[in-house]
Amino acid sequence: MCASLQSDSLVSRESYVPVGDAELYYREIGEGQPIIILHGGPDFDHTYLLPNLDRLSDSFRLIYYDQRGRGKSARDVQPEDVSIVSDVEDLERVRKYFQLETVALLGHSWGALLALEYAIRHPTRLSHLIIMNTAPVSHEENLLLRKSRREKTPADIEELKARASEAKYQEGDPDTVADYYRVHFRATVREPKHLEQVIRSLRSSFTKEGILKARAIEKRLYNETWFLSDYDLAPKLKGLDIPTLVIHGDYDFVPVECAVHVAQAMSRARFVLLKDTGHFSYIESPDEGRKEIDKSLLKST
């Protein structure tokens, strides 16, 4: 069943993609060149990207979906059903479901890592890649992130530890988890109003059951990627011939070196550093980011 939702002057369409014994919720909006959008986390769902990323729908056909076991794609899914391989396979199923011979991928944060994992396995199915505020793509870069993570004050660090140890946080209480992320992300978002927008978007889809399931999935995905000492996507990116835009913020708590390494590894990548911008560039620098996306995707049309 497909439903339509009205968002200001834009009409979105939502339904589910069957993937074996599970279903992936999707939300589609706009017309034009298709872009599949991959959310981050990996324990989040697509809702934190809204409504800001919908601005692209005046020129592009946007296809958001919740990755297996997260958001509205959690029904009948157990954490052990999810792996980095299954996430890549699900993305390929989404492409086939929409009958797209080739497609552009936009991945934010962890979604950028998933986009690159897909590109390595299915390079001929991609017309373009947009790597937005990438997560680290290797074990070593994850260590670099942990060592250089920007926490504004020692008090922030202590507050994060204290919140993570609270029973309500461990039980997945939505408000407590939202408060934790408010502290976590204020180190990478300059404007308080932007931080509150991020937290409101995240909180809108939080449920206790969903949080706990997504946490278990996140742990599995970390064990298959960042926590493996030899995990490193960069060498595998060198043979890819895909037009790629790598966008990063100079205030992002993911070190800029991580994004630069991705761009340097790919022969057709263009790197853009946005000034006074943190980890949520689509909120913090929407006009600058949009300009670069249009330049990458529309220049040949």
Side-chain angles (χ1 to χ4, degrees):
M1 179 180 294
C2 182
S4 295
L5 302 174
Q6 188 78 27
S7 176
D8 296 326
S9 61
L10 303 173
V11 177
S12 63
R13 303 163 293 281
E14 61 173 3
S15 190
Y16 290 84
V17 178
V19 288
D21 56 357
E23 292 182 317
L24 302 180
Y25 168 86
Y26 74 81
R27 176 181 178 275
E28 184 182 13
I29 190 169
E31 303 291 340
Q33 182 177 358
I35 307 174
I36 296 178
I37 297 175
L38 304 176
H39 64 76
D43 56 334
F44 299 155
D45 58 46
H46 82 285
T47 54
Y48 78 91
L49 298 167
L50 304 179
N52 299 76
L53 216 51
D54 271 357
R55 295 180 63 190
L56 295 173
S57 65
D58 61 4
S59 299
F60 303 101
R61 175 188 175 194
L62 308 180
I63 302 170
Y64 303 85
Y65 75 95
D66 289 346
Q67 293 154 34
R68 186 184 295 238
R70 284 143 286 180
K72 294 180 180 179
S73 299
R75 188 174 57 189
D76 298 326
V77 175
Q78 299 303 315
E80 55 267 27
D81 298 333
V82 182
S83 66
I84 193 68
V85 171
S86 72
D87 274 354
V88 170
E89 290 176 348
D90 283 348
L91 174 50
E92 174 65 355
R93 291 185 181 105
V94 170
R95 181 194 66 79
K96 290 180 177 179
Y97 177 85
F98 286 99
Q99 301 180 348
L100 303 173
E101 185 66 23
T102 61
V103 68
L105 282 186
L106 187 160
H108 176 256
S109 192
W110 176 270
L113 181 148
L114 178 57
L116 294 171
E117 287 274 8
Y118 178 88
I120 290 165
R121 293 169 173 82
H122 301 283
T124 62
R125 297 306 186 185
L126 294 178
S127 64
H128 299 80
L129 274 174
I130 302 170
I131 304 301
M132 180 181 287
N133 302 103
T134 188
V137 299
S138 72
H139 173 78
E140 292 300 324
E141 287 185 350
N142 182 54
L143 294 179
L144 177 64
L145 166 62
R146 292 177 178 276
K147 291 178 181 178
S148 63
R149 186 184 296 274
R150 182 186 291 111
E151 303 292 357
K152 291 187 177 181
T153 66
D156 285 344
I157 299 173
E158 292 305 314
E159 187 174 355
L160 283 173
K161 291 179 180 178
R163 290 186 180 275
S165 66
E166 292 178 8
K168 284 189 175 182
Y169 176 86
Q170 295 175 4
E171 294 166 358
D173 175 71
D175 290 330
T176 304
V177 172
D179 288 341
Y180 173 90
Y181 279 118
R182 180 176 287 105
V183 179
H184 177 67
F185 285 130
R186 74 187 178 200
T188 190
V189 181
R190 282 188 179 275
E191 296 290 335
K193 64 180 180 180
H194 293 151
L195 174 62
E196 289 308 309
Q197 186 174 349
V198 170
I199 300 306
R200 283 196 305 271
S201 296
L202 286 171
R203 176 63 183 85
S204 68
S205 65
F206 279 173
T207 66
K208 180 177 179 178
E209 180 182 5
I211 287 168
L212 295 178
K213 182 178 290 188
R215 277 184 189 166
I217 290 171
E218 178 181 62
K219 182 178 180 180
R220 285 179 57 82
L221 293 174
Y222 285 176
N223 285 337
E224 294 182 347
T225 56
W226 290 344
F227 294 171
L228 295 177
S229 61
D230 61 347
Y231 183 76
D232 188 0
L233 293 185
K236 301 176 182 179
L237 300 176
K238 293 185 180 299
L240 298 183
D241 185 31
I242 303 168
T244 300
L245 170 64
V246 180
I247 300 176
H248 211 69
D250 64 353
Y251 197 68
D252 199 318
F253 60 8
V254 178
V256 67
E257 293 90 339
C258 297
V260 170
H261 291 164
V262 170
Q264 289 176 339
M266 305 180 71
S267 62
R268 299 180 66 186
R270 182 169 64 90
F271 176 72
V272 174
L273 184 66
L274 300 177
K275 300 296 184 182
D276 298 319
T277 301
H279 194 61
F280 299 89
S281 59
Y282 61 94
I283 290 177
E284 299 173 81
S285 297
D287 294 336
E288 294 85 348
R290 174 63 187 272
K291 178 182 176 181
E292 298 301 335
I293 290 171
D294 284 352
K295 186 187 301 184
S296 292
L297 270 63
L298 298 178
K299 65 180 180 181
S300 60
T301 61

